[in-house]
Amino acid sequence: MAICELKGATKTYGSGATEVHAILGIDLTIDAGEFTAFVGPSGSGKTTLLNQIGCLDSPSAGSVHIRGKATAGLSDVKLAGLRAEEIGFIFQSFNLIPVLTAAENVELAMSLAGQDGGHDAALALLAEVGLEGLGGRRPNQLSGGQQQRVAIARALVKKPSIVIADEPTANLDSDSGRAVLDLMRALNEKHGTTFLFSTHDPMVVDYARRVVTLRDGAIVSDERRGAAS
Ligand SMILES: Nc1ncnc2c1ncn2[C@@H]1O[C@H](COP(=O)(O)OP(=O)(O)OP(=O)(O)O)[C@@H](O)[C@H]1O
Ligand SMILES: [Mg+2]
């Protein structure tokens, strides 16, 4: 089942002599449960494309549908509503709140999502990402890989249909990066959550079951492969 469909999706910045097509005429179908990497040189449009799928932005031309709902022309409020329903985000720099503990970071996401699971539910989610016993630590008392696990737990609070991770391992050493990818893949297999990530790291690309390569805002290859073990 297509969870996300782009047809001729184009994002143009500026106008006249300064016009830039960050993505241009992208046709792409993502099925539920995919584990897909977006690769390509710096400036090729990876972040722009993920932001379109993540409902952080809508196309200047063409269409983007998330579970059948079009994002083009939506007001910022409507776009934010769709994003809140469907999308979880993991960031390169983790984006945890430094004065809150790991558990409090997850609890805050729960209360923002209107859930009242409280502390125990937050600890259960942290246990699921391998952080049993670490809920009381603040981000600066955790390793980078552990911080990214907290961020993954936070992204899962809403049980999103799609998790978007723009260069999730860029600030991690390769062992921590592998651990984060192993976790993402385990969650993908357990819950069927669709994971879409961008990277410059060949090790991370090896985890993907589909690799979409961008160049100058267009898809130049789209390859399905068996996942590395
Ligand atoms: N807000 C903006 N205003 C103007 N141009 C932009 C804007 N955002 C992106 N661009 C341009 O769009 C193109 C694609 O940028 P994008 O950030 O999507 O690339 P990327 O593949 O994610 O690169 P990187 O690997 O460096 O993260 C680049 O030429 C960039 O300069
Ligand atoms: Mg980018």
Side-chain angles (χ1 to χ4, degrees):
M1 186 195 80
I3 199 163
C4 167
E5 192 147 37
L6 288 79
K7 287 199 176 130
T10 296
K11 181 70 195 183
T12 307
Y13 291 108
S15 60
T18 62
E19 193 172 83
V20 177
H21 298 298
I23 54 171
L24 182 60
I26 299 263
D27 294 321
L28 179 70
T29 300
I30 304 281
D31 288 328
E34 283 194 22
F35 199 73
T36 295
F38 292 84
V39 302
S42 184
S44 58
K46 302 180 295 297
T47 295
T48 304
L49 177 56
L50 289 177
N51 287 350
Q52 291 289 330
I53 297 171
C55 305
L56 286 166
D57 205 354
S58 57
S60 320
S63 66
V64 177
H65 285 81
I66 306 299
R67 291 231 278 197
K69 291 175 199 147
T71 66
L74 286 187
S75 66
D76 286 351
V77 172
K78 288 237 166 82
L79 201 57
L82 186 55
R83 186 162 72 231
E85 274 169 38
E86 304 288 353
I87 316 285
F89 291 94
I90 302 168
F91 300 95
Q92 180 176 328
S93 49
F94 322 136
N95 288 17
L96 300 175
I97 296 177
V99 296
L100 299 182
T101 65
E104 287 165 349
N105 267 280
V106 175
E107 280 181 77
L108 175 63
M110 287 175 161
S111 58
L112 290 174
Q115 299 175 9
D116 45 40
H119 195 65
D120 288 347
L123 291 181
L125 254 182
L126 288 173
E128 183 169 8
V129 299
L131 294 178
E132 203 143 24
L134 298 182
R137 296 212 197 161
R138 286 191 300 278
N140 67 0
Q141 299 169 319
L142 294 167
S143 72
Q146 290 168 336
Q147 290 180 59
Q148 195 60 304
R149 284 163 181 268
V150 177
I152 291 172
R154 184 182 56 182
L156 294 175
V157 159
K158 296 177 304 184
K159 300 191 170 46
S161 52
I162 304 175
V163 172
I164 290 184
D166 196 3
E167 303 197 37
T169 62
N171 286 316
L172 298 177
D173 63 67
S174 62
D175 283 349
S176 304
R178 275 180 199 283
V180 163
L181 263 295
D182 284 333
L183 171 64
M184 284 167 51
R185 193 162 62 188
L187 293 166
N188 167 260
E189 284 167 5
K190 182 170 171 204
H191 300 295
T193 309
T194 306
F195 279 83
L196 306 178
F197 50 97
S198 73
T199 187
H200 289 279
D201 182 345
M203 181 275 284
V204 175
V205 179
D206 279 344
Y207 276 83
R209 287 195 295 267
R210 178 181 182 188
V211 180
V212 175
T213 306
L214 296 173
R215 190 174 302 269
D216 297 331
I219 294 175
V220 292
S221 90
D222 184 352
E223 177 197 340
R224 286 171 201 271
R225 40 159 91 169
S229 57

